[in-house]
Structures are given as structure tokens and as C-alpha cells.
Amino acid sequence: VALICTHIVIMVASAVFITDLKGKPLIHRNYRGTIKMSITDEFQRILAEKDENELEPIMNDKGVTFCFVEHNDLFLLGVTNSNGNVMIILNFLYKIIEVLEDYFEGLEQESIRDNFVLI
């Protein structure tokens, strides 16, 4: 996720993951290399600890900010360990959903697995 302002590129999300509803990663992109891939284990722990009604789309845990969107049987998760703009991250996640929905005519685990190479 990048925001371009007068020739300056500001990275907002350190990493983006698409996971199943349990938080197990299906595909990811680590933009900065500052987020460990095991961060999804922390996300799984948070999902297990909180009731579905207690989940908030923006959570901070141990200095890491998790921004996520639930869509069908997936979570789209943006992670940053810097002071990133979470609204831009959430907007980016919704744009990913929009693009993949249009391209695959539906977005779910099966479409991610079937089109892994394209994503």
C-alpha cells in the first residue's frame, strides 16, 4: 500500500494477508520485510480470545496494528508496526475485495486457491 504525494512514496501497510476465518494465511505480501510471517499466529490468538461481537476492524497488540475486513469466508488483513494511516489501509483492503470480486466473479477461499498464481 503506497500513498504518493509530490514525488514522495509513503508505505502505509507493512504487510497484507488474505486468511481463512481462523486466521490461517492463504496468501500474503510483506512490503517492508519488517513484519514476521508468524504475525498471523498473533492474529489467530486474537480471534480465538475475542468473541465475534467484540472484534473491531482495527486492533493494536504488542506494538503491531492489525486492520482487517471479513468477506465471505476470508479475512483481508493489513498489518503495520509503524504509525500508519489505518483508514488508508482499510480502504486498500476494500479495493482489493472490489477488484478480486470483479475479476474472479466472487471472492472466497476457493477462488484464492484456484487463482493463486494470478494474485
Side-chain angles (χ1 to χ4, degrees):
V1 178
L3 178 63
I4 301 174
C5 298
T6 63
H7 301 41
I8 299 173
V9 177
I10 303 169
M11 292 300 294
V12 178
S14 298
V16 174
F17 297 86
I18 299 178
T19 72
D20 63 14
L21 289 179
K22 295 179 182 176
K24 181 182 172 189
L26 302 172
I27 191 168
H28 69 274
R29 170 71 177 174
N30 194 346
Y31 293 103
R32 293 185 180 177
T34 59
I35 297 291
K36 296 179 182 176
M37 291 300 101
S38 62
I39 199 69
T40 55
D41 296 337
E42 291 296 317
F43 184 61
Q44 288 174 347
R45 180 188 55 79
I46 292 169
L47 290 177
E49 287 177 356
K50 295 195 179 213
D51 186 36
E52 187 175 318
N53 298 331
E54 295 176 332
L55 286 177
E56 299 172 351
I58 303 166
M59 299 179 290
N60 196 317
D61 186 62
K62 299 177 185 174
V64 177
T65 303
F66 298 88
C67 304
F68 72 93
V69 175
E70 184 176 353
H71 182 78
N72 293 336
D73 57 351
L74 300 169
F75 281 122
L76 281 80
L77 171 66
V79 182
T80 184
N81 56 4
S82 63
N83 189 15
N85 186 332
V86 294
M87 293 311 292
I88 291 176
I89 296 172
L90 286 174
N91 188 40
F92 180 69
L93 296 176
Y94 279 109
K95 288 296 179 183
I96 291 173
I97 291 170
E98 186 179 318
V99 168
L100 295 180
E101 278 270 326
D102 287 344
Y103 194 77
F104 300 135
E105 297 178 1
L107 180 60
E108 54 193 25
Q109 284 186 45
E110 185 178 338
S111 59
I112 296 295
R113 288 190 174 105
D114 291 346
N115 298 288
F116 184 82
V117 175
L118 296 175
I119 300 173

